[in-house]
Amino acid sequence: MFLQDAFKVGLISSSGSAGSIGCLIWDASPDGVDVEVDPAAVVPDTVHLSIASLAIDRPCAVVEREGSRLHLVYVR
């Protein structure tokens, strides 16, 4: 699996939320990303991820949670 050390900043939003949650991108691959959010953030199982510096603007599913770290896969 090819991982790109991105270490960029992104935004997570959901249809039921009025705002966005900032996130730090740890790794990016063709299938998804590993991100870190504020430990107090409530992130639903399906979200929309935007990372301007990587030209990513896609729906995602949270498939793994470990504290404030999340693994998101792109939903096609």
Side-chain angles (χ1 to χ4, degrees):
M1 178 167 75
F2 170 79
L3 291 178
Q4 176 185 351
D5 184 7
F7 205 64
K8 306 287 184 190
V9 176
L11 291 174
I12 295 173
S13 59
S14 67
S15 59
S17 174
S20 297
I21 299 167
C23 62
L24 180 64
I25 313 305
W26 285 97
D27 291 307
S29 74
D31 298 319
V33 295
D34 289 322
V35 303
E36 185 171 350
V37 296
D38 184 302
V42 177
V43 180
D45 291 335
T46 57
V47 296
H48 191 91
L49 177 67
S50 297
I51 309 169
S53 60
L54 298 176
I56 294 173
D57 190 33
R58 301 185 63 173
C60 297
V62 179
V63 294
E64 188 176 337
R65 298 172 188 261
E66 186 176 322
S68 59
R69 300 258 327 234
L70 308 172
H71 180 68
L72 308 176
V73 294
Y74 303 128
V75 177
R76 301 196 198 298

